[in-house]
Amino acid sequence: MRVLVVEDEKKLAESLRVGLRQEGFVVDVCNDGVSGLWSATENAYDAIVLDIMLPRLNGYDVLKEIRRRRVWTPVLMLTAKDGDYDQTDAFDLGADDYLTKPFSFIVLVARLRALIRRGTPERPNVVTVGTLRLDPAKRRVHRGEHEITLTAREYGLLSYLMRHAGDIVTKGEILDNVWDSSFEGSENVVEVYISYLRKKIDIPFGLHTLLTVRGMGYRLTPDQSGDDLPSRLAGSGVGRA
């Protein structure tokens, strides 16, 4: 079993190298994000242990680039950061597990073995609703041929709506699935982000696919006018230099 450890704390990295070798793993170690990215994409590993706070290139960017290049090796994020948003960001980018420092070496080994037993997971395919496409692997969204730039929260909301296209989803369901469990704000935040999304996925294209169902929630529907989308783009100015 071959494992890559990307960790800038050299004492910890060496401790992991020694300990994992004693557990029967073959271990490569990198101390910065750039070399870690190179090793992760140029070599075959059964699992990757990846710190977030790395020099030269942080762990989030390393993970994002690994997945963009369609390398699906299981990744366990290892970091001193332990907020809900940190974990959510890691999982959204394609992490398979998460441990915070200080951690138990026994737990680390157990989780690595579990990841390796499960093997490389099958990654989700592109999700399509009408002319709207969302690629989970690349974290990119397109309406027709035009790429749409979204914030992390907007992306999470759109991903949830697209996976439930045609269904009415309530504010409560959206909060449960898009915001973390510690969120204590008003449900009205959903209305705000629905508005943000409409301004990016509908209004520039002359479409009305993200619907408000009064008293119930929201529903994303396929656009019925995909054939004339290029003319709509031209008329709206979207995509012009």
Side-chain angles (χ1 to χ4, degrees):
M1 295 177 290
R2 189 179 184 188
V3 173
L4 172 65
V5 175
V6 188
E7 168 60 61
D8 66 318
E9 295 181 37
K10 293 187 178 180
K11 288 185 178 179
L12 175 58
E14 185 58 26
S15 175
L16 289 175
R17 184 205 303 268
V18 172
L20 289 172
R21 282 181 174 174
Q22 291 176 347
E23 293 292 330
F25 294 90
V26 175
V27 184
D28 292 337
V29 172
C30 294
N31 298 125
D32 65 79
V34 172
S35 59
L37 174 61
W38 185 89
S39 292
T41 54
E42 294 296 321
N43 300 300
Y45 294 99
D46 295 295
I48 298 171
V49 178
L50 178 64
D51 190 20
I52 289 179
M53 304 302 290
L54 293 168
R56 302 181 70 193
L57 192 66
N58 69 56
Y60 289 134
D61 289 335
V62 172
L63 178 58
K64 185 187 300 183
E65 185 62 18
I66 287 173
R67 297 309 188 218
R68 189 189 72 80
R69 298 186 191 184
R70 299 186 178 275
V71 175
W72 306 125
T73 307
V75 173
L76 185 152
M77 302 298 284
L78 186 65
T79 178
K81 301 176 70 176
D82 61 356
D84 287 335
Y85 286 111
D86 300 318
Q87 296 183 42
T88 300
D89 288 343
F91 288 128
D92 282 346
L93 290 172
D96 298 276
D97 205 350
Y98 193 102
L99 270 181
T100 58
K101 302 174 184 175
F103 59 89
S104 163
F105 178 73
I106 295 174
V107 172
L108 172 67
V109 171
R111 292 195 175 184
L112 278 178
R113 293 192 189 280
L115 287 178
I116 292 171
R117 280 197 303 270
R118 292 203 298 265
T120 302
E122 181 179 349
R123 297 292 166 171
N125 296 321
V126 173
V127 182
T128 302
V129 179
T131 58
L132 193 63
R133 303 192 319 278
L134 182 146
D135 187 335
K138 296 181 179 179
R139 289 180 62 84
R140 298 174 69 180
V141 175
H142 289 81
R143 173 72 83 180
E145 297 304 314
H146 177 71
E147 184 166 2
I148 300 172
T149 301
L150 301 177
T151 66
R153 187 70 68 192
E154 291 166 351
Y155 177 90
L157 175 57
L158 180 61
S159 177
Y160 180 74
L161 291 169
M162 290 184 71
R163 294 181 188 283
H164 295 82
D167 298 334
I168 297 174
V169 293
T170 66
K171 288 182 181 179
E173 289 170 333
I174 291 173
L175 284 175
D176 288 343
N177 288 276
V178 180
W179 274 258
D180 62 79
S181 58
S182 65
F183 179 75
E184 297 180 352
S186 168
E187 283 190 345
N188 290 336
V189 70
V190 175
E191 294 179 21
V192 173
Y193 275 87
I194 289 289
S195 176
Y196 291 162
L197 269 186
R198 284 195 180 114
K199 291 176 181 177
K200 292 187 176 182
I201 69 169
D202 274 353
I203 293 175
F205 308 98
L207 298 173
H208 186 54
T209 65
L210 182 46
L211 310 177
T212 298
V213 183
R214 189 174 298 277
M216 300 180 69
Y218 304 94
R219 179 170 59 202
L220 182 68
T221 63
D223 50 293
Q224 301 300 318
S225 52
D227 291 343
D228 65 346
L229 187 59
S231 63
R232 288 173 180 267
L233 289 172
S236 67
V238 174
R240 291 178 181 173

